[in-house]
Structures are given as C-alpha cells and as structure tokens.
Amino acid sequence: MSKPQVLITMKHVPEIAISLLRERFDVKICDSLIHASRTEILKEIPGKFAIFCNPSDKIDEELIKTAGPSLKVVGTMSVGYDHVDLTAMKKYGIRLGYTPDVLTETVAETTIGLLISTTRRFFEANHALKTGGWKNVTPTWMCGRGIRNSVVGIVGCGNIGTSIAKKLKTFEISQLLYTSRTEKPAVKELGGKMVTVDELVEQSDFIIISIALTEDTKFIINKERIAKMKSHAVLVNIGRGGLIDQDALIEALKKNKIGGAGLDVMTPEPLPLDSPLIKMNNVVLLPHIGSATIETRTEMAVIVSKNIIAVLDNTAMPNEVQF
Ligand code: DGY
C-alpha cells in the first residue's frame, strides 16, 4: 500500500527530521530552489497529507483547495502562524502544528545582539573600517548610546519577551517597561512595569517589538506612535514586519525623528534591494534569522515532523495551535 505524502517546501531541512517522516510517508522536497515558489508549491500540493512549511509560505484557501481532501495537517517550522489562514483551516478541518518554546532563548539572544549592534553602530563601524573610513579618530566618532541606565520597553511580553527581559536585567538598565494583556509575575519580579503601548513608546530609549502579528496588532507601531518616540529612540523588531507601518518608519528615520532601527523582520521579505532601508546608516537589517542556530533549527524541524506524524497516528501533537 502506498504511503501518505508530505510536501516539504524548503531544502536543507535537517536530515533527522526528514528521516522521521520517511518512516511513515513518501516525502517530496520541493526542488527548484532553496525555497519553493508559490507556483511550485501549488503544483506539488495536490494529494498531499501534510505540508511542512515556514512563514514564507502562505497557507490559504487556494492552497488548501488545490491540495484536495487528502490534506490533514500543516506543520509550520515557526512559532508565528500569521501566514496561515485559520478560518480556511477550520473550514476544511485541517490541523496546525507549530514550534513554540524551543526557539525562545535563541530569538532572545538575537534580539540582544540586534539591540547592541544597532545602538552601538557595529555594522556602520565595520563598513567604515573595511572601506577606508577609519582615519582620524575623534572622540565622538562612531559613538552610539549605551544601554546601561536607559529605559527599555518590550511590546509583547510572552515567552520571548520575558527571556529578553531577563537578559536585559544584567545590563543595569534604569527601567524596564512592557505591554501585555495580563501582568507577568516573572517580569514584575525583574522590576518590569506594565504600561500601555502609548506610554511605552513615549518613555523608552529602546523599544523592542516581540509580539505576534494578528488583526489586532497589525501596525501596532504606526505613524502616531512613532511620532511619540524620543528623538534618540532605537526601535528593534523581531516579531513580524507587519507590526510596523514601515513607510512611516522610513519617513521618521530619513528625518532623524528617531535614533535608529534594528529589524530582523520587514515588509516584504526578502526585502527588495531598492528599499530605502538598505541605504540607511541608522538601520541594521537581518534576514529573519532570529531562531537561526543549527541546534534550534534542528529541534524545530524535528518538532514539525513529530507534529505531522501525530496527525497520522491520530494522537496529540507535541505543539498544536488551537483555533
Ligand atoms: C518564527 O518562528 O515565527 C520565527 O519568526 C522564525 O520564522
């Protein structure tokens, strides 16, 4: 009897995760590119039981209908699932597995790195060094703002936000602010104060966006809130590009209305090379690598496989999104 089929939309998924699937499925790995195009995915999806995907793959009604009734599970290799149309998933009775928790510490580490490299201008300094800009050093050359004694605000204090807060504690900041639906005892214990988003953007020297993208949080950082930020404020986004009104951010950065931005996520992804963000010295851009360590990505991939297998076995997934 032929095995059910899984489509993996990306290359170089750790072999351990693929082997797990191969024991139970016929595995098709999209092969035209490192990451499959929408066209390739739509061509390959008919008849599949599962799709092993990531946030670059839009999982919508068109894809689900193209797959047909065999499709039972979407396994996304991410904690975020804003790329998945939950209404369509529900309509067709498809389950969704994701990968929370395993990536928390890695994303929090990336955030701290992005925060420091943005405020201390590491990439700009590195570029200057490599292109002959390191000449007569004056005391004010390549200076940034320190994190010590500053007010840091975290928008969205889930697991990742809480881990960022713990790491920041060692930086001797003067005040930690955060937003959340409910007070977080662990963050309160660190001295964190829960405030509104407006209070946070007004009072913080560093603003870290670490919240899931939903209808409610789209453009949570909009033109009005950017206008409330301190003129030296540094904005760091490790959530999703859609959390920020990027045009308003570009405008503010161009006019030096805020100090800078460190973005691991942006709109669209990949960012076109003609985006004004690319030329800005006060912006550090990373290609959505928040969880990109070998260990974490391997664990994530294994969880995706286990989530998919659980649906075949009709058992509880290690990590299922309830909707
Ligand atoms: C996630 O897991 O949602 C990260 O953004 C990586 O894609």
Side-chain angles (χ1 to χ4, degrees):
M1 215 174 77
S2 63
K3 292 180 185 167
Q5 299 171 4
V6 176
L7 180 68
I8 302 183
T9 64
M10 64 209 101
K11 279 192 170 171
H12 309 308
V13 169
E15 192 49 45
I16 180 173
I18 299 178
S19 314
L20 278 176
L21 288 174
R22 284 215 168 101
E23 287 170 17
R24 311 290 305 279
F25 295 94
D26 276 338
V27 178
K28 166 74 192 173
I29 303 174
C30 287
D31 53 13
S32 65
L33 293 163
I34 295 291
H35 194 282
S37 64
R38 173 87 177 168
T39 314
E40 184 178 3
I41 294 172
L42 289 180
K43 180 171 152 266
E44 298 293 349
I45 196 72
K48 300 293 183 287
F49 176 90
I51 178 166
F52 182 131
C53 62
N54 72 20
S56 338
D57 305 315
K58 202 168 158 49
I59 308 295
D60 56 8
E61 186 156 6
E62 181 193 22
L63 182 141
I64 292 171
K65 279 165 92 171
T66 309
S70 59
L71 187 69
K72 301 291 179 230
V73 52
V74 171
T76 184
M77 195 171 144
S78 61
V79 61
Y81 48 86
D82 48 285
H83 55 296
V84 181
D85 178 345
L86 297 184
T87 311
M89 294 281 283
K90 200 169 178 159
K91 181 168 164 194
Y92 294 89
I94 297 162
R95 292 167 68 186
L96 174 60
Y98 71 141
T99 64
D101 306 330
V102 286
L103 46 62
T104 301
E105 295 307 318
T106 307
V107 177
E109 283 175 13
T110 305
T111 310
I112 298 294
L114 187 53
L115 175 66
I116 299 176
S117 53
T118 307
T119 186
R120 295 293 307 278
R121 305 167 63 182
F122 283 178
F123 290 86
E124 192 187 345
N126 177 267
H127 180 76
L129 177 151
K130 290 185 174 175
T131 54
W134 185 13
K135 291 184 176 120
N136 298 321
V137 175
T138 66
T140 53
W141 190 67
M142 281 296 164
C143 288
R145 286 183 83 88
I147 296 169
R148 187 164 176 261
N149 291 331
S150 68
V151 179
V152 184
I154 304 176
V155 177
C157 230
N159 289 346
I160 295 172
T162 301
S163 174
I164 295 167
K166 285 183 186 155
K167 289 173 176 36
L168 282 170
K169 178 77 183 158
T170 61
F171 285 76
E172 300 176 17
I173 61 178
S174 68
Q175 174 79 72
L176 175 66
L177 305 176
Y178 72 99
T179 70
S180 174
R181 276 188 299 245
T182 55
E183 197 162 65
K184 298 284 163 151
V187 184
K188 193 174 177 193
E189 220 166 87
L190 296 167
K193 183 176 167 205
M194 192 164 103
V195 292
T196 64
V197 180
D198 289 296
E199 287 167 337
L200 186 144
V201 295
E202 264 169 26
Q203 294 170 28
S204 301
D205 301 302
F206 299 101
I207 298 159
I208 297 170
I209 314 299
S210 163
I211 196 167
L213 176 63
T214 64
E215 281 305 313
D216 294 338
T217 60
K218 185 167 190 256
F219 283 12
I220 193 166
I221 300 300
N222 56 20
K223 192 173 177 190
E224 291 70 37
R225 287 189 169 137
I226 292 171
K228 287 182 180 176
M229 291 177 189
K230 296 180 183 179
S231 58
H232 62 256
V234 169
L235 179 64
V236 170
N237 188 8
I238 51 103
R240 285 289 181 269
L243 294 163
I244 297 182
D245 178 345
Q246 193 165 287
D247 291 339
L249 176 65
I250 290 171
E251 215 36 50
L253 288 164
K254 269 187 191 158
K255 296 181 177 153
N256 293 316
K257 296 270 187 215
I258 65 170
L263 309 174
D264 183 45
V265 286
M266 53 219 78
T267 308
E269 292 180 11
L271 189 69
L273 292 180
D274 61 357
S275 165
L277 286 170
I278 289 191
K279 292 216 166 77
M280 293 178 170
N281 278 336
N282 51 353
V283 175
V284 171
L285 300 170
L286 297 180
H288 202 147
I289 55 166
S291 62
T293 65
I294 297 289
E295 309 81 43
T296 298
R297 288 279 167 89
T298 303
E299 278 191 81
M300 290 166 74
V302 167
I303 291 171
V304 178
S305 296
K306 288 184 175 171
N307 283 338
I308 290 173
I309 292 166
V311 176
L312 187 64
D313 290 341
N314 206 17
T315 55
M317 283 192 207
N319 292 106
E320 178 161 9
V321 179
Q322 304 295 342
F323 53 89

